[in-house]
Amino acid sequence: EISIAYCLEAVAISQAEGLEILQPYAECALSHCYCAAGDLQAPLQAGERALTVFEERGNVWWACRTLWVLATAANAMGAWPRSLEYCRKALDYGQATNDLRLKVVGWWRTGSAHIMRGAVEMGRQCCERALALSPAPFDATMARAMCGWPSIKAGDVEAGVAEMEKAVEWFGRSQLHYTRVIFG
């Protein structure tokens, strides 16, 4: 509630003062806060507004950051086509710019959408594509954690849980409590 209030205040200030360049950043942050709070329609509204501005200005990195939260909200709602479209768009940006992080996150987020919608093998393949790019430790851990889900869904609970436990330990050691909770 506190984070949402601060973000709403930042949006209001940027609107009142005509700080159009700052408003999409505030709305992107707001969409992340709403999503973490479990309010799934609000992040779509704030995120779509931010995404439009980031895309108009050619701000690919922040467009992707916004697409990632939009995909997360769409996944939580079971809006698979919408999520996959957000993921595709983010992955396209990553490939167009040849940005390693954007490509890696685009692949594992696409994988997560497929896994959650029940296309387990397709999801595993996407996560493996992310890992094949030799990502930084955080993104590698996210992709490996997502790879745990297909094993569990396919009935190999022991292997899937082991993969997720490694990720949970890494997130804990890295003081990434929110992310640790997601997979814990």
Side-chain angles (χ1 to χ4, degrees):
E1 292 172 359
I2 293 169
S3 298
I4 290 170
Y6 280 131
C7 289
L8 287 170
E9 185 176 354
V11 170
I13 290 169
S14 66
Q15 288 173 336
E17 300 299 323
L19 303 171
E20 295 172 5
I21 197 163
L22 297 179
Q23 187 172 337
Y25 296 97
E27 291 195 300
C28 180
L30 179 61
S31 65
H32 281 271
C33 293
Y34 277 136
C35 198
D39 182 345
L40 302 177
Q41 283 299 324
L44 294 176
Q45 296 164 358
E48 287 285 352
R49 287 190 303 269
L51 179 61
T52 298
V53 176
F54 290 137
E55 288 180 330
E56 286 172 356
R57 294 187 178 149
N59 191 334
V60 172
W61 202 93
W62 276 90
C64 286
R65 184 164 175 79
T66 306
L67 286 162
W68 299 338
V69 73
L70 289 167
T72 299
N75 281 343
M77 296 171 60
W80 312 123
R82 193 171 192 179
S83 174
L84 289 168
E85 178 58 23
Y86 291 138
C87 292
R88 184 205 53 79
K89 204 172 200 183
L91 187 54
D92 286 350
Y93 281 133
Q95 291 173 329
T97 60
N98 198 29
D99 184 289
L100 175 64
R101 179 141 206 265
L102 298 183
K103 289 188 289 187
V104 168
V105 177
W107 277 119
W108 74 251
R109 285 190 181 269
T110 301
S112 73
H114 284 303
I115 292 163
M116 289 179 197
R117 74 179 183 90
V120 177
E121 189 52 37
M122 189 178 291
R124 180 192 314 273
Q125 290 171 10
C126 290
C127 291
E128 288 173 356
R129 287 189 76 169
L131 290 168
L133 294 171
S134 300
F138 174 81
D139 292 321
T141 304
M142 289 297 290
R144 283 190 195 101
M146 289 312 305
C147 278
W149 281 104
S151 297
I152 292 169
K153 288 187 172 238
D156 191 355
V157 176
E158 189 174 320
V161 168
E163 195 66 61
M164 290 184 144
E165 283 176 340
K166 288 181 210 169
V168 168
E169 289 172 19
W170 189 89
F171 292 131
R173 284 192 312 275
S174 300
Q175 301 296 307
L176 297 167
H177 304 295
Y178 175 76
T179 312
R180 181 182 178 277
V181 167
I182 291 170
F183 292 101

